[in-house]
Amino acid sequence: MPVKRTGFFIGLLVAVLFALLPFAGESYYIQLLTVIFYWIGLAACWNLMCGYTGYIDFGSAAYTGIGAYVAGIIMVRSGLPLLTTIPLAGLGAGVIALAVGWPTLRLRGAYFAIATFALAEALMQVAEEWTGLTEGGIGITIPQRLEEFDYYWLYLFLAALVVAITWWVEHHKHGYALKAIHEDEHAAAQVGINTHTIKLKTYVTSAFFIGMLGALEGSRLGYFKPDDVFDVHITIKMVIMSLLGGMGTVLGPVIGATFLQLIEDYLGAQFLNFYLVIIGAIIVCVIIFLPRGIVGSTIERLRLKFRRQP
Amino acid sequence: MSLLTARGVSKNFGALAALSGVDLTLNEGEILGVIGPNGSGKTTLFNCMTGIHKPSAGRVEFEGRDITGKPTHGICRAGLVKTSQIVQPFTGMSVLENVLVGGLYGKGLSLHHARDEAMAILEKVGLAEVAAKPAGSITVAMRRRLELARCLATGPKVILLDENMAGLTPTEIDSVLELLRQLNAEGLSLVVVEHIMQAVMGISQRVMVLDYGEKIAEDAPAAVVADKRVIEAYLGEEYA
């Protein structure tokens, strides 16, 4: 027990230290960290559902899109303050996730992945065509914007919150159910786990936070079109970050998102046209040599090491 | 008093009638054996009773309540569980965690209580020494015990054992039988599906025989093996 608590408090301390960083002044690093925190948040949401249960969602961008549009449309139409629209965007994404998850979470494996992928694509089309509501392909301009530092703090807060929720899940009852579902769903039901309800709760929670992050990012962009916020690359990045860091671990998405975003930033500046090839090679290497991700494989190695010692 | 009853349970998979109108009664504190050649519907019957399959026809009652087609997790929480023919521990978890999950969800215990109980159950089934090992790393005989331990953790009134002794050595079988007798003496009712005759006959108070999805006999063990239809089903007509 105390070891677990120590981990939690170290995490909290790190988050507080990062929260104090802007007081040192504005710099390039604050902007970089803002983006990193945004991606940690998204990857952690994806990991919470998909990393733990093994249900691979290829349509998570549906919820960044819904979040961005719900907040954007409310701001444009009613002039509510930005910060009020953020939780509403989360709720919007959560409600859609509930409606979508109810039938699709009965599907398994590739079928769930395909269904969610189709959902994100379909919603993008809806946003394109429903011009009366979304302005369609012309795009939507968000009338309000927060200060640069506010995005930094909000992303840090949301990322820390999702990671803390993951930590809580890992150490409580809920985590055992998710892992059991991942291993063998039939067997999980046979020991009394209501698998459908637990998957649905987790899925909706994950979508709620993705929706809020999407809404914030929408306002940070200031202007976006359907193919910006429903972009399949958003989903792919969430998947790769979780995979790199280690699916089904608390710190996996933190490490994965930081790692990928840093090399993207560095290589993008150094090798303008070539950097995607290098990133691809790095991803392949990590998957071959660290199949459980950076965090997952490290934990495994440490475990083996400690077991061998008398 | 009858604890578990199946009345006229049928199950069709497409054109195949895996079960046709099977009745089963299990009384409180009883051990009922179910035998039958391969493909006679034993596993399907178990699956129909635990909600894994929805019966095409018929009715299943547990403690007087209709549980036909109810979800598996609900039937488990009510006190009716089954072990699987193909052992399916959660291989990524430790042996202790496997049992823990049963207590957490089957019985609704807190993490703290479930841990204590899981340890006590592991002691009982003789797995306490491997509690911390990954469930994927233990022997088949141990996995079969683990399967039973996980069921026990859910606090069942009835356990359906689907070939829980398959692949075990005679010594291992004897120790499992001993354990089952002990559990039965503590008030647990059991339905045992088994190919190993000596095991079923020795432990069951009553035996029912399935063949091609139908019940062809039900009696005391000694009477069942002398039954003409049973011999016919197992050995062919000329021996009957």
Side-chain angles (χ1 to χ4, degrees), chain B residues 170-216:
Chain B
T171 338
E172 286 165 348
I173 291 174
D174 283 341
S175 80
V176 173
L177 287 176
E178 187 51 47
L179 175 62
L180 293 181
R181 281 202 189 92
Q182 188 199 332
L183 292 171
N184 180 242
E186 288 166 16
L188 193 68
S189 311
L190 302 168
V191 182
V192 184
V193 158
E194 203 60 63
H195 267 305
I196 306 156
M197 281 297 177
Q198 142 230 6
V200 196
M201 294 302 164
I203 198 170
S204 309
Q205 283 128 26
R206 212 152 42 89
V207 174
M208 63 181 262
V209 188
L210 288 178
D211 190 28
Y212 291 109
E214 284 177 54
K215 183 158 83 176
I216 57 168

mmCIF file of all heavy atoms in Angstrom, chain B residues 170-216:
data_model
loop_
_atom_site.group_PDB
_atom_site.id
_atom_site.type_symbol
_atom_site.label_atom_id
_atom_site.label_comp_id
_atom_site.label_asym_id
_atom_site.label_seq_id
_atom_site.Cartn_x
_atom_site.Cartn_y
_atom_site.Cartn_z
ATOM 1 N N PRO B 170 -4.024 -40.558 -12.073
ATOM 2 C CA PRO B 170 -4.920 -41.171 -11.078
ATOM 3 C C PRO B 170 -4.746 -40.587 -9.667
ATOM 4 O O PRO B 170 -5.725 -40.353 -8.965
ATOM 5 C CB PRO B 170 -4.513 -42.643 -11.117
ATOM 6 C CG PRO B 170 -4.027 -42.857 -12.500
ATOM 7 C CD PRO B 170 -3.371 -41.580 -12.906
ATOM 8 N N THR B 171 -3.511 -40.308 -9.271
ATOM 9 C CA THR B 171 -3.280 -39.738 -7.941
ATOM 10 C C THR B 171 -3.904 -38.349 -7.836
ATOM 11 O O THR B 171 -4.528 -38.003 -6.828
ATOM 12 C CB THR B 171 -1.766 -39.577 -7.668
ATOM 13 O OG1 THR B 171 -1.054 -40.438 -8.508
ATOM 14 C CG2 THR B 171 -1.448 -39.778 -6.220
ATOM 15 N N GLU B 172 -3.713 -37.564 -8.897
ATOM 16 C CA GLU B 172 -4.274 -36.210 -8.905
ATOM 17 C C GLU B 172 -5.799 -36.274 -8.863
ATOM 18 O O GLU B 172 -6.451 -35.489 -8.175
ATOM 19 C CB GLU B 172 -3.807 -35.451 -10.151
ATOM 20 C CG GLU B 172 -2.355 -35.014 -10.086
ATOM 21 C CD GLU B 172 -1.785 -34.582 -11.432
ATOM 22 O OE1 GLU B 172 -2.432 -34.832 -12.474
ATOM 23 O OE2 GLU B 172 -0.697 -34.020 -11.441
ATOM 24 N N ILE B 173 -6.357 -37.249 -9.608
ATOM 25 C CA ILE B 173 -7.813 -37.411 -9.621
ATOM 26 C C ILE B 173 -8.320 -37.718 -8.213
ATOM 27 O O ILE B 173 -9.287 -37.126 -7.740
ATOM 28 C CB ILE B 173 -8.243 -38.528 -10.605
ATOM 29 C CG1 ILE B 173 -7.982 -38.060 -12.036
ATOM 30 C CG2 ILE B 173 -9.713 -38.892 -10.420
ATOM 31 C CD1 ILE B 173 -8.224 -39.111 -13.082
ATOM 32 N N ASP B 174 -7.614 -38.640 -7.535
ATOM 33 C CA ASP B 174 -8.037 -38.997 -6.180
ATOM 34 C C ASP B 174 -8.049 -37.787 -5.266
ATOM 35 O O ASP B 174 -8.969 -37.608 -4.465
ATOM 36 C CB ASP B 174 -7.106 -40.063 -5.603
ATOM 37 C CG ASP B 174 -7.431 -41.431 -6.186
ATOM 38 O OD1 ASP B 174 -8.564 -41.581 -6.715
ATOM 39 O OD2 ASP B 174 -6.575 -42.328 -6.136
ATOM 40 N N SER B 175 -7.049 -36.928 -5.393
ATOM 41 C CA SER B 175 -7.004 -35.788 -4.485
ATOM 42 C C SER B 175 -8.082 -34.764 -4.837
ATOM 43 O O SER B 175 -8.631 -34.098 -3.955
ATOM 44 C CB SER B 175 -5.605 -35.176 -4.436
ATOM 45 O OG SER B 175 -5.395 -34.347 -5.537
ATOM 46 N N VAL B 176 -8.420 -34.652 -6.139
ATOM 47 C CA VAL B 176 -9.527 -33.753 -6.515
ATOM 48 C C VAL B 176 -10.846 -34.309 -5.959
ATOM 49 O O VAL B 176 -11.669 -33.564 -5.409
ATOM 50 C CB VAL B 176 -9.621 -33.560 -8.040
ATOM 51 C CG1 VAL B 176 -10.864 -32.765 -8.407
ATOM 52 C CG2 VAL B 176 -8.387 -32.850 -8.568
ATOM 53 N N LEU B 177 -11.039 -35.625 -6.106
ATOM 54 C CA LEU B 177 -12.268 -36.248 -5.597
ATOM 55 C C LEU B 177 -12.406 -36.014 -4.087
ATOM 56 O O LEU B 177 -13.498 -35.713 -3.584
ATOM 57 C CB LEU B 177 -12.267 -37.750 -5.889
ATOM 58 C CG LEU B 177 -12.490 -38.140 -7.356
ATOM 59 C CD1 LEU B 177 -12.361 -39.642 -7.531
ATOM 60 C CD2 LEU B 177 -13.847 -37.655 -7.847
ATOM 61 N N GLU B 178 -11.274 -36.133 -3.400
ATOM 62 C CA GLU B 178 -11.252 -35.906 -1.963
ATOM 63 C C GLU B 178 -11.722 -34.479 -1.639
ATOM 64 O O GLU B 178 -12.555 -34.246 -0.759
ATOM 65 C CB GLU B 178 -9.813 -36.141 -1.468
ATOM 66 C CG GLU B 178 -9.623 -36.107 0.032
ATOM 67 C CD GLU B 178 -10.613 -37.005 0.738
ATOM 68 O OE1 GLU B 178 -10.786 -38.160 0.304
ATOM 69 O OE2 GLU B 178 -11.221 -36.531 1.719
ATOM 70 N N LEU B 179 -11.178 -33.539 -2.411
ATOM 71 C CA LEU B 179 -11.536 -32.125 -2.231
ATOM 72 C C LEU B 179 -13.025 -31.903 -2.510
ATOM 73 O O LEU B 179 -13.719 -31.215 -1.757
ATOM 74 C CB LEU B 179 -10.681 -31.273 -3.176
ATOM 75 C CG LEU B 179 -10.965 -29.774 -3.236
ATOM 76 C CD1 LEU B 179 -10.717 -29.136 -1.879
ATOM 77 C CD2 LEU B 179 -10.096 -29.114 -4.303
ATOM 78 N N LEU B 180 -13.532 -32.520 -3.574
ATOM 79 C CA LEU B 180 -14.935 -32.356 -3.926
ATOM 80 C C LEU B 180 -15.839 -32.922 -2.828
ATOM 81 O O LEU B 180 -16.866 -32.325 -2.480
ATOM 82 C CB LEU B 180 -15.246 -33.038 -5.259
ATOM 83 C CG LEU B 180 -14.589 -32.420 -6.496
ATOM 84 C CD1 LEU B 180 -14.998 -33.171 -7.755
ATOM 85 C CD2 LEU B 180 -14.940 -30.948 -6.628
ATOM 86 N N ARG B 181 -15.441 -34.066 -2.284
ATOM 87 C CA ARG B 181 -16.228 -34.662 -1.192
ATOM 88 C C ARG B 181 -16.268 -33.731 0.001
ATOM 89 O O ARG B 181 -17.302 -33.551 0.632
ATOM 90 C CB ARG B 181 -15.631 -36.005 -0.777
ATOM 91 C CG ARG B 181 -16.002 -37.119 -1.724
ATOM 92 C CD ARG B 181 -15.886 -38.488 -1.081
ATOM 93 N NE ARG B 181 -16.060 -39.497 -2.118
ATOM 94 C CZ ARG B 181 -15.049 -40.018 -2.800
ATOM 95 N NH1 ARG B 181 -13.801 -39.671 -2.537
ATOM 96 N NH2 ARG B 181 -15.278 -40.908 -3.756
ATOM 97 N N GLN B 182 -15.110 -33.127 0.286
ATOM 98 C CA GLN B 182 -15.033 -32.202 1.418
ATOM 99 C C GLN B 182 -15.947 -30.991 1.204
ATOM 100 O O GLN B 182 -16.696 -30.589 2.088
ATOM 101 C CB GLN B 182 -13.581 -31.759 1.582
ATOM 102 C CG GLN B 182 -13.314 -30.948 2.842
ATOM 103 C CD GLN B 182 -12.019 -30.155 2.718
ATOM 104 O OE1 GLN B 182 -11.104 -30.554 2.001
ATOM 105 N NE2 GLN B 182 -11.946 -29.036 3.414
ATOM 106 N N LEU B 183 -15.899 -30.445 -0.008
ATOM 107 C CA LEU B 183 -16.740 -29.283 -0.326
ATOM 108 C C LEU B 183 -18.216 -29.652 -0.214
ATOM 109 O O LEU B 183 -19.035 -28.880 0.275
ATOM 110 C CB LEU B 183 -16.442 -28.781 -1.738
ATOM 111 C CG LEU B 183 -15.063 -28.156 -1.946
ATOM 112 C CD1 LEU B 183 -14.822 -27.904 -3.427
ATOM 113 C CD2 LEU B 183 -14.941 -26.855 -1.161
ATOM 114 N N ASN B 184 -18.536 -30.865 -0.685
ATOM 115 C CA ASN B 184 -19.915 -31.345 -0.624
ATOM 116 C C ASN B 184 -20.366 -31.495 0.826
ATOM 117 O O ASN B 184 -21.485 -31.119 1.193
ATOM 118 C CB ASN B 184 -20.025 -32.673 -1.374
ATOM 119 C CG ASN B 184 -21.435 -33.231 -1.349
ATOM 120 O OD1 ASN B 184 -21.669 -34.307 -0.824
ATOM 121 N ND2 ASN B 184 -22.381 -32.491 -1.898
ATOM 122 N N ALA B 185 -19.455 -31.991 1.658
ATOM 123 C CA ALA B 185 -19.788 -32.160 3.075
ATOM 124 C C ALA B 185 -20.031 -30.799 3.735
ATOM 125 O O ALA B 185 -20.785 -30.688 4.695
ATOM 126 C CB ALA B 185 -18.656 -32.900 3.777
ATOM 127 N N GLU B 186 -19.396 -29.767 3.189
ATOM 128 C CA GLU B 186 -19.593 -28.416 3.736
ATOM 129 C C GLU B 186 -20.872 -27.775 3.198
ATOM 130 O O GLU B 186 -21.167 -26.616 3.500
ATOM 131 C CB GLU B 186 -18.391 -27.532 3.390
ATOM 132 C CG GLU B 186 -17.144 -27.892 4.194
ATOM 133 C CD GLU B 186 -15.888 -27.259 3.628
ATOM 134 O OE1 GLU B 186 -15.999 -26.317 2.818
ATOM 135 O OE2 GLU B 186 -14.795 -27.717 3.988
ATOM 136 N N GLY B 187 -21.610 -28.498 2.360
ATOM 137 C CA GLY B 187 -22.919 -28.005 1.935
ATOM 138 C C GLY B 187 -23.031 -27.598 0.487
ATOM 139 O O GLY B 187 -24.068 -27.114 0.037
ATOM 140 N N LEU B 188 -21.951 -27.751 -0.280
ATOM 141 C CA LEU B 188 -21.989 -27.358 -1.682
ATOM 142 C C LEU B 188 -22.583 -28.486 -2.526
ATOM 143 O O LEU B 188 -22.240 -29.643 -2.344
ATOM 144 C CB LEU B 188 -20.553 -27.066 -2.140
ATOM 145 C CG LEU B 188 -20.360 -26.364 -3.466
ATOM 146 C CD1 LEU B 188 -20.868 -24.938 -3.402
ATOM 147 C CD2 LEU B 188 -18.875 -26.371 -3.822
ATOM 148 N N SER B 189 -23.494 -28.136 -3.422
ATOM 149 C CA SER B 189 -24.056 -29.140 -4.328
ATOM 150 C C SER B 189 -23.272 -29.118 -5.633
ATOM 151 O O SER B 189 -22.829 -28.060 -6.072
ATOM 152 C CB SER B 189 -25.521 -28.831 -4.617
ATOM 153 O OG SER B 189 -26.202 -28.588 -3.414
ATOM 154 N N LEU B 190 -23.114 -30.289 -6.236
ATOM 155 C CA LEU B 190 -22.272 -30.368 -7.438
ATOM 156 C C LEU B 190 -22.941 -31.143 -8.555
ATOM 157 O O LEU B 190 -23.667 -32.112 -8.309
ATOM 158 C CB LEU B 190 -20.955 -31.086 -7.112
ATOM 159 C CG LEU B 190 -20.065 -30.510 -6.010
ATOM 160 C CD1 LEU B 190 -18.981 -31.515 -5.648
ATOM 161 C CD2 LEU B 190 -19.443 -29.211 -6.459
ATOM 162 N N VAL B 191 -22.702 -30.690 -9.777
ATOM 163 C CA VAL B 191 -23.043 -31.507 -10.935
ATOM 164 C C VAL B 191 -21.722 -31.782 -11.639
ATOM 165 O O VAL B 191 -20.984 -30.856 -11.958
ATOM 166 C CB VAL B 191 -24.003 -30.786 -11.899
ATOM 167 C CG1 VAL B 191 -24.363 -31.706 -13.069
ATOM 168 C CG2 VAL B 191 -25.259 -30.342 -11.178
ATOM 169 N N VAL B 192 -21.401 -33.064 -11.825
ATOM 170 C CA VAL B 192 -20.092 -33.436 -12.346
ATOM 171 C C VAL B 192 -20.218 -34.084 -13.711
ATOM 172 O O VAL B 192 -20.820 -35.147 -13.846
ATOM 173 C CB VAL B 192 -19.392 -34.424 -11.379
ATOM 174 C CG1 VAL B 192 -17.986 -34.750 -11.871
ATOM 175 C CG2 VAL B 192 -19.341 -33.857 -9.968
ATOM 176 N N VAL B 193 -19.678 -33.427 -14.728
ATOM 177 C CA VAL B 193 -19.569 -34.050 -16.041
ATOM 178 C C VAL B 193 -18.186 -34.639 -16.133
ATOM 179 O O VAL B 193 -17.202 -33.954 -15.859
ATOM 180 C CB VAL B 193 -19.764 -33.002 -17.162
ATOM 181 C CG1 VAL B 193 -19.130 -33.488 -18.457
ATOM 182 C CG2 VAL B 193 -21.238 -32.740 -17.397
ATOM 183 N N GLU B 194 -18.090 -35.892 -16.471
ATOM 184 C CA GLU B 194 -16.767 -36.492 -16.513
ATOM 185 C C GLU B 194 -16.753 -37.685 -17.438
ATOM 186 O O GLU B 194 -17.738 -38.411 -17.560
ATOM 187 C CB GLU B 194 -16.363 -36.924 -15.098
ATOM 188 C CG GLU B 194 -14.889 -37.050 -14.881
ATOM 189 C CD GLU B 194 -14.149 -35.741 -15.133
ATOM 190 O OE1 GLU B 194 -14.388 -34.745 -14.422
ATOM 191 O OE2 GLU B 194 -13.332 -35.726 -16.049
ATOM 192 N N HIS B 195 -15.604 -37.888 -18.104
ATOM 193 C CA HIS B 195 -15.447 -39.073 -18.936
ATOM 194 C C HIS B 195 -14.898 -40.229 -18.115
ATOM 195 O O HIS B 195 -15.093 -41.386 -18.433
ATOM 196 C CB HIS B 195 -14.496 -38.789 -20.101
ATOM 197 C CG HIS B 195 -15.220 -38.348 -21.323
ATOM 198 N ND1 HIS B 195 -16.232 -39.080 -21.880
ATOM 199 C CD2 HIS B 195 -15.094 -37.248 -22.094
ATOM 200 C CE1 HIS B 195 -16.691 -38.454 -22.930
ATOM 201 N NE2 HIS B 195 -16.028 -37.332 -23.087
ATOM 202 N N ILE B 196 -14.159 -39.873 -17.076
ATOM 203 C CA ILE B 196 -13.512 -40.897 -16.271
ATOM 204 C C ILE B 196 -14.555 -41.561 -15.377
ATOM 205 O O ILE B 196 -14.992 -41.012 -14.370
ATOM 206 C CB ILE B 196 -12.379 -40.273 -15.430
ATOM 207 C CG1 ILE B 196 -11.436 -39.513 -16.363
ATOM 208 C CG2 ILE B 196 -11.638 -41.318 -14.631
ATOM 209 C CD1 ILE B 196 -10.657 -38.425 -15.696
ATOM 210 N N MET B 197 -14.988 -42.755 -15.787
ATOM 211 C CA MET B 197 -16.101 -43.448 -15.142
ATOM 212 C C MET B 197 -15.890 -43.639 -13.647
ATOM 213 O O MET B 197 -16.754 -43.349 -12.836
ATOM 214 C CB MET B 197 -16.287 -44.828 -15.779
ATOM 215 C CG MET B 197 -17.003 -44.764 -17.082
ATOM 216 S SD MET B 197 -18.665 -44.130 -16.797
ATOM 217 C CE MET B 197 -19.242 -44.060 -18.455
ATOM 218 N N GLN B 198 -14.678 -44.107 -13.331
ATOM 219 C CA GLN B 198 -14.399 -44.438 -11.938
ATOM 220 C C GLN B 198 -14.594 -43.188 -11.076
ATOM 221 O O GLN B 198 -15.094 -43.266 -9.954
ATOM 222 C CB GLN B 198 -12.985 -45.030 -11.868
ATOM 223 C CG GLN B 198 -12.161 -44.670 -10.692
ATOM 224 C CD GLN B 198 -10.775 -44.183 -11.162
ATOM 225 O OE1 GLN B 198 -10.510 -44.032 -12.365
ATOM 226 N NE2 GLN B 198 -9.907 -43.920 -10.212
ATOM 227 N N ALA B 199 -14.254 -42.037 -11.625
ATOM 228 C CA ALA B 199 -14.407 -40.792 -10.874
ATOM 229 C C ALA B 199 -15.879 -40.456 -10.651
ATOM 230 O O ALA B 199 -16.306 -40.193 -9.520
ATOM 231 C CB ALA B 199 -13.714 -39.653 -11.617
ATOM 232 N N VAL B 200 -16.664 -40.475 -11.727
ATOM 233 C CA VAL B 200 -18.081 -40.107 -11.602
ATOM 234 C C VAL B 200 -18.834 -41.103 -10.729
ATOM 235 O O VAL B 200 -19.617 -40.730 -9.862
ATOM 236 C CB VAL B 200 -18.789 -40.110 -12.973
ATOM 237 C CG1 VAL B 200 -20.099 -39.371 -12.899
ATOM 238 C CG2 VAL B 200 -17.909 -39.565 -14.045
ATOM 239 N N MET B 201 -18.577 -42.391 -11.003
ATOM 240 C CA MET B 201 -19.320 -43.421 -10.294
ATOM 241 C C MET B 201 -19.023 -43.384 -8.796
ATOM 242 O O MET B 201 -19.898 -43.574 -7.971
ATOM 243 C CB MET B 201 -18.946 -44.813 -10.845
ATOM 244 C CG MET B 201 -19.390 -45.007 -12.277
ATOM 245 S SD MET B 201 -21.167 -44.783 -12.421
ATOM 246 C CE MET B 201 -21.344 -44.568 -14.161
ATOM 247 N N GLY B 202 -17.755 -43.109 -8.482
ATOM 248 C CA GLY B 202 -17.363 -43.109 -7.078
ATOM 249 C C GLY B 202 -17.971 -41.958 -6.294
ATOM 250 O O GLY B 202 -18.288 -42.113 -5.121
ATOM 251 N N ILE B 203 -18.143 -40.835 -6.933
ATOM 252 C CA ILE B 203 -18.507 -39.642 -6.167
ATOM 253 C C ILE B 203 -20.001 -39.302 -6.229
ATOM 254 O O ILE B 203 -20.556 -38.704 -5.318
ATOM 255 C CB ILE B 203 -17.641 -38.434 -6.623
ATOM 256 C CG1 ILE B 203 -17.682 -37.336 -5.549
ATOM 257 C CG2 ILE B 203 -18.081 -37.904 -7.966
ATOM 258 C CD1 ILE B 203 -16.705 -36.229 -5.777
ATOM 259 N N SER B 204 -20.677 -39.713 -7.324
ATOM 260 C CA SER B 204 -22.064 -39.280 -7.520
ATOM 261 C C SER B 204 -23.057 -40.117 -6.723
ATOM 262 O O SER B 204 -22.879 -41.320 -6.574
ATOM 263 C CB SER B 204 -22.439 -39.375 -8.998
ATOM 264 O OG SER B 204 -21.477 -38.733 -9.780
ATOM 265 N N GLN B 205 -24.080 -39.419 -6.245
ATOM 266 C CA GLN B 205 -25.159 -40.153 -5.605
ATOM 267 C C GLN B 205 -26.169 -40.625 -6.651
ATOM 268 O O GLN B 205 -26.894 -41.581 -6.454
ATOM 269 C CB GLN B 205 -25.854 -39.248 -4.574
ATOM 270 C CG GLN B 205 -25.051 -39.116 -3.288
ATOM 271 C CD GLN B 205 -24.838 -37.668 -2.885
ATOM 272 O OE1 GLN B 205 -25.620 -36.794 -3.236
ATOM 273 N NE2 GLN B 205 -23.779 -37.421 -2.147
ATOM 274 N N ARG B 206 -26.210 -39.885 -7.751
ATOM 275 C CA ARG B 206 -27.130 -40.193 -8.829
ATOM 276 C C ARG B 206 -26.404 -39.873 -10.127
ATOM 277 O O ARG B 206 -25.577 -38.960 -10.163
ATOM 278 C CB ARG B 206 -28.353 -39.281 -8.701
ATOM 279 C CG ARG B 206 -29.658 -39.832 -9.163
ATOM 280 C CD ARG B 206 -30.811 -39.176 -8.364
ATOM 281 N NE ARG B 206 -30.657 -37.756 -8.173
ATOM 282 C CZ ARG B 206 -31.098 -36.815 -9.011
ATOM 283 N NH1 ARG B 206 -31.723 -37.140 -10.112
ATOM 284 N NH2 ARG B 206 -30.915 -35.533 -8.752
ATOM 285 N N VAL B 207 -26.701 -40.621 -11.178
ATOM 286 C CA VAL B 207 -26.045 -40.371 -12.460
ATOM 287 C C VAL B 207 -27.090 -40.281 -13.558
ATOM 288 O O VAL B 207 -28.026 -41.087 -13.592
ATOM 289 C CB VAL B 207 -25.040 -41.503 -12.798
ATOM 290 C CG1 VAL B 207 -24.473 -41.322 -14.205
ATOM 291 C CG2 VAL B 207 -23.905 -41.548 -11.788
ATOM 292 N N MET B 208 -26.978 -39.275 -14.410
ATOM 293 C CA MET B 208 -27.839 -39.264 -15.587
ATOM 294 C C MET B 208 -26.969 -39.396 -16.833
ATOM 295 O O MET B 208 -25.813 -38.987 -16.862
ATOM 296 C CB MET B 208 -28.712 -38.016 -15.646
ATOM 297 C CG MET B 208 -28.009 -36.693 -15.781
ATOM 298 S SD MET B 208 -29.214 -35.328 -15.811
ATOM 299 C CE MET B 208 -29.347 -35.062 -17.577
ATOM 300 N N VAL B 209 -27.556 -40.032 -17.864
ATOM 301 C CA VAL B 209 -26.788 -40.330 -19.064
ATOM 302 C C VAL B 209 -27.405 -39.620 -20.262
ATOM 303 O O VAL B 209 -28.612 -39.696 -20.482
ATOM 304 C CB VAL B 209 -26.755 -41.846 -19.338
ATOM 305 C CG1 VAL B 209 -25.787 -42.173 -20.472
ATOM 306 C CG2 VAL B 209 -26.389 -42.621 -18.085
ATOM 307 N N LEU B 210 -26.581 -38.901 -21.007
ATOM 308 C CA LEU B 210 -27.035 -38.228 -22.217
ATOM 309 C C LEU B 210 -26.487 -38.966 -23.432
ATOM 310 O O LEU B 210 -25.371 -39.484 -23.408
ATOM 311 C CB LEU B 210 -26.521 -36.790 -22.267
ATOM 312 C CG LEU B 210 -27.117 -35.762 -21.318
ATOM 313 C CD1 LEU B 210 -26.413 -34.421 -21.530
ATOM 314 C CD2 LEU B 210 -28.616 -35.603 -21.536
ATOM 315 N N ASP B 211 -27.306 -39.013 -24.489
ATOM 316 C CA ASP B 211 -26.838 -39.557 -25.755
ATOM 317 C C ASP B 211 -27.563 -38.818 -26.871
ATOM 318 O O ASP B 211 -28.782 -38.716 -26.853
ATOM 319 C CB ASP B 211 -27.122 -41.063 -25.827
ATOM 320 C CG ASP B 211 -26.436 -41.705 -27.024
ATOM 321 O OD1 ASP B 211 -25.389 -41.177 -27.455
ATOM 322 O OD2 ASP B 211 -26.950 -42.714 -27.517
ATOM 323 N N TYR B 212 -26.824 -38.290 -27.819
ATOM 324 C CA TYR B 212 -27.406 -37.492 -28.903
ATOM 325 C C TYR B 212 -28.391 -36.450 -28.393
ATOM 326 O O TYR B 212 -29.482 -36.285 -28.924
ATOM 327 C CB TYR B 212 -28.082 -38.393 -29.944
ATOM 328 C CG TYR B 212 -27.091 -39.206 -30.730
ATOM 329 C CD1 TYR B 212 -26.998 -40.570 -30.535
ATOM 330 C CD2 TYR B 212 -26.235 -38.587 -31.644
ATOM 331 C CE1 TYR B 212 -26.064 -41.322 -31.241
ATOM 332 C CE2 TYR B 212 -25.305 -39.324 -32.349
ATOM 333 C CZ TYR B 212 -25.220 -40.681 -32.152
ATOM 334 O OH TYR B 212 -24.306 -41.415 -32.851
ATOM 335 N N GLY B 213 -28.029 -35.776 -27.323
ATOM 336 C CA GLY B 213 -28.851 -34.668 -26.834
ATOM 337 C C GLY B 213 -30.081 -35.076 -26.064
ATOM 338 O O GLY B 213 -30.921 -34.241 -25.739
ATOM 339 N N GLU B 214 -30.222 -36.385 -25.783
ATOM 340 C CA GLU B 214 -31.393 -36.808 -25.014
ATOM 341 C C GLU B 214 -30.953 -37.552 -23.765
ATOM 342 O O GLU B 214 -29.918 -38.208 -23.756
ATOM 343 C CB GLU B 214 -32.272 -37.730 -25.855
ATOM 344 C CG GLU B 214 -33.080 -36.982 -26.886
ATOM 345 C CD GLU B 214 -33.881 -37.940 -27.751
ATOM 346 O OE1 GLU B 214 -34.635 -38.764 -27.201
ATOM 347 O OE2 GLU B 214 -33.731 -37.863 -28.988
ATOM 348 N N LYS B 215 -31.800 -37.469 -22.737
ATOM 349 C CA LYS B 215 -31.491 -38.222 -21.528
ATOM 350 C C LYS B 215 -31.968 -39.655 -21.739
ATOM 351 O O LYS B 215 -33.135 -39.888 -22.005
ATOM 352 C CB LYS B 215 -32.197 -37.591 -20.329
ATOM 353 C CG LYS B 215 -31.860 -38.289 -19.027
ATOM 354 C CD LYS B 215 -32.110 -37.396 -17.848
ATOM 355 C CE LYS B 215 -33.584 -37.443 -17.452
ATOM 356 N NZ LYS B 215 -33.835 -36.657 -16.239
ATOM 357 N N ILE B 216 -31.047 -40.620 -21.625
ATOM 358 C CA ILE B 216 -31.463 -42.003 -21.862
ATOM 359 C C ILE B 216 -31.564 -42.803 -20.567
ATOM 360 O O ILE B 216 -32.136 -43.886 -20.545
ATOM 361 C CB ILE B 216 -30.538 -42.731 -22.870
ATOM 362 C CG1 ILE B 216 -29.083 -42.717 -22.389
ATOM 363 C CG2 ILE B 216 -30.654 -42.120 -24.257
ATOM 364 C CD1 ILE B 216 -28.196 -43.667 -23.179
#
